[in-house]
Amino acid sequence: MYFEGFITIDPSQLTKIKYVKPTKAFRKFLHSITLGSVSDKEERETFTAVAILQQINASFRNLGVNNVIKISHDDIDFYHDKEGKDNDLKLALDKYEIEVNEAMSINFTQLNLVLEHKDETFKYLFEITVNRDHKIGIYPIEIKVSGLLNRFASNKAKEEIKKVVEHQSMFDRFVEESGNKFEHFLNEIKFEIKRQIEVDDINIITKTKYILPSKTVKEKRDFVPTPSRGGVYGGYHGFDDYIFYSLIWSDVMHHCNTTIHHSHFENEKGESLGYAEEINSEHDIFDSKINNDSTVNETLEEDPYTVAEESDNESSGWFSFSDWGSDSESSFFDSSSCSSCSSCSSCSSCGGD
């Protein structure tokens, strides 16, 4: 079991976004993306995407989130922390500046930033996506948050899970308390983003998720990462114990007569299997030895809580430049400090670094 949340900015609100000039590392990042080889319009579009990424980064810094796992440009990784470095945003952007090339700059469509954070209850994984263009109905700014529980990331994972799931009242209380803490943190992120980006309509979807593996998992090495799926399945450094407890959860719970509510299910590849308003853990889908697609399909409903699916018909650029003057267009790479402070070396109001 783990928790998942989506924080999205409604496309109708994007015209209200206040554009700010990139500073320090983000100005260098912008310069790396454009390389002086794109049109004025493409440069302005890239500027806006980087500015939004900077503002989102500032929001997370204010909440103490400063560890970068990965930075990607059109699904190509330019920085991937496989050692667990702390406070490595500047290192990530410097590496990006070295490795990006002209062809990639011209074809830029999407930026991705993956962050991690840990508090007393959860280890969080944040996946931030900023699209220069987007399909109609798709949120151009999306933050996916996975919250995995520290309590079970240990050598005694089975024993700890059993303590929680074997008694209905204890399990219900645990899920409620953990879910409330997760939602509280998502709301902190929401309000910090509203303060930085100044839009009214930011939406949150949260899910309590269970993994139903297609075969019994006995050891951590039995799990094969699926980097293309991302999230908890991406094989990121430091998440092995967390994904292991999540994979064995259903088998441990199957031996307890416990009812779960409002549950979202997926397989070990991160593919959605469906939703259940209410289901007992003694059901066959919780037993990896006999669980199969037919059993799952007959038992679960289609997930009613999803983020917008892509439309195949139209796409839309979400950048508006009506409020930009000639100074804005000609000074993307100047060395002036940001408007909110006199020094941009580390302040959270401009994204730091």
Side-chain angles (χ1 to χ4, degrees):
M1 183 186 82
Y2 72 99
F3 295 91
E4 184 177 81
F6 291 91
I7 304 173
T8 55
I9 297 176
D10 191 311
S12 64
Q13 294 289 311
L14 291 171
T15 56
K16 300 180 181 179
I17 290 177
K18 179 182 179 182
Y19 303 126
V20 298
K21 293 182 180 181
T23 58
K24 294 289 184 180
F26 277 95
R27 186 187 297 116
K28 291 171 64 181
F29 180 39
L30 173 59
H31 187 69
S32 300
I33 294 175
T34 59
L35 292 175
S37 61
V38 297
S39 68
D40 289 343
K41 180 177 184 294
E42 287 173 321
E43 187 171 282
R44 290 195 297 270
E45 289 176 340
T46 304
F47 170 87
T48 309
V50 172
I52 295 302
L53 193 62
Q54 175 183 298
Q55 289 167 287
I56 291 174
N57 174 64
S59 301
F60 279 103
R61 286 175 64 95
N62 286 345
L63 295 170
V65 180
N66 55 23
N67 288 340
V68 178
I69 294 179
K70 188 169 69 172
I71 184 167
S72 302
H73 171 139
D74 291 346
D75 295 325
I76 299 173
D77 297 345
F78 288 91
Y79 177 81
H80 190 165
D81 179 9
K82 298 182 179 181
E83 301 175 7
K85 299 182 179 70
D86 291 330
N87 197 17
D88 52 352
L89 176 65
K90 187 177 185 301
L91 176 63
L93 296 182
D94 284 347
K95 192 172 190 300
Y96 181 98
E97 182 184 18
I98 292 170
E99 296 194 14
V100 73
N101 63 39
E102 181 174 338
M104 293 171 183
S105 299
I106 294 172
N107 295 313
F108 161 78
T109 57
Q110 186 182 82
L111 299 176
N112 298 91
L113 184 65
V114 181
L115 307 170
E116 66 174 323
H117 181 64
K118 189 174 181 179
D119 62 19
E120 292 183 358
T121 305
F122 293 103
K123 182 161 186 172
Y124 299 96
L125 183 69
F126 308 94
E127 296 173 298
I128 303 162
T129 302
V130 181
N131 295 302
R132 193 181 71 180
D133 297 301
H134 64 95
K135 298 290 186 180
I136 299 299
I138 294 296
Y139 296 111
I141 303 173
E142 180 180 300
I143 301 171
K144 178 182 176 182
V145 185
S146 301
L148 298 109
L149 293 146
N150 296 326
R151 174 174 176 176
F152 309 107
S154 70
N155 294 328
K156 298 182 178 180
K158 290 184 179 180
E159 292 87 343
E160 289 299 317
I161 294 171
K162 188 175 181 181
K163 289 177 184 178
V164 169
V165 302
E166 63 183 347
H167 299 295
Q168 186 70 54
S169 60
M170 181 179 295
F171 175 70
D172 289 343
R173 184 167 60 253
F174 175 79
V175 173
E176 180 180 9
E177 291 177 354
S178 301
N180 287 340
K181 290 178 181 178
F182 182 71
E183 290 186 18
H184 177 74
F185 189 62
L186 260 60
N187 277 301
E188 286 188 323
I189 297 172
K190 171 183 176 178
F191 291 123
E192 188 60 41
I193 290 174
K194 288 177 70 173
R195 189 171 75 85
Q196 293 289 335
I197 302 183
E198 299 181 8
V199 294
D200 296 325
D201 195 358
I202 298 180
N203 307 309
I204 293 179
I205 296 174
T206 60
K207 299 180 180 182
T208 304
K209 307 199 78 173
Y210 297 85
I211 303 174
L212 303 178
S214 58
K215 61 180 181 180
T216 302
V217 175
K218 295 182 179 180
E219 300 179 17
K220 283 183 280 188
R221 65 183 181 183
D222 292 337
F223 169 67
V224 179
T226 311
S228 61
R229 300 294 302 185
V232 299
Y233 304 94
Y236 297 128
H237 174 83
F239 283 84
D240 289 358
D241 289 336
Y242 293 87
I243 189 63
F244 177 69
Y245 93 70
S246 300
L247 288 167
I248 67 173
W249 188 287
S250 59
D251 273 328
V252 175
M253 196 173 191
H254 180 60
H255 300 288
C256 306
N257 181 21
T258 307
T259 299
I260 62 178
H261 304 274
H262 310 297
S263 313
H264 302 261
F265 297 90
E266 59 196 17
N267 62 22
E268 70 274 22
K269 297 179 181 179
E271 299 166 339
S272 176
L273 298 175
Y275 170 82
E277 189 77 20
E278 179 178 298
I279 189 170
N280 191 277
S281 63
E282 293 186 337
H283 195 285
D284 287 347
I285 69 170
F286 289 90
D287 188 347
S288 60
K289 296 178 182 178
I290 60 176
N291 178 26
N292 56 60
D293 292 341
S294 177
T295 305
V296 170
N297 292 336
E298 292 172 359
T299 305
L300 302 177
E301 307 170 13
E302 184 177 350
D303 191 336
Y305 306 105
T306 59
V307 293
E309 295 294 332
E310 286 195 10
S311 166
D312 294 330
N313 298 323
E314 297 182 74
S315 63
S316 172
W318 56 274
F319 302 103
S320 171
F321 309 111
S322 58
D323 295 331
W324 289 57
S326 58
D327 290 342
S328 297
E329 296 182 17
S330 62
S331 57
F332 291 161
F333 308 113
D334 65 27
S335 58
S336 61
S337 62
C338 68
S339 60
S340 59
C341 58
S342 58
S343 175
C344 293
S345 59
S346 61
C347 72
S348 59
S349 63
C350 65
D353 297 315

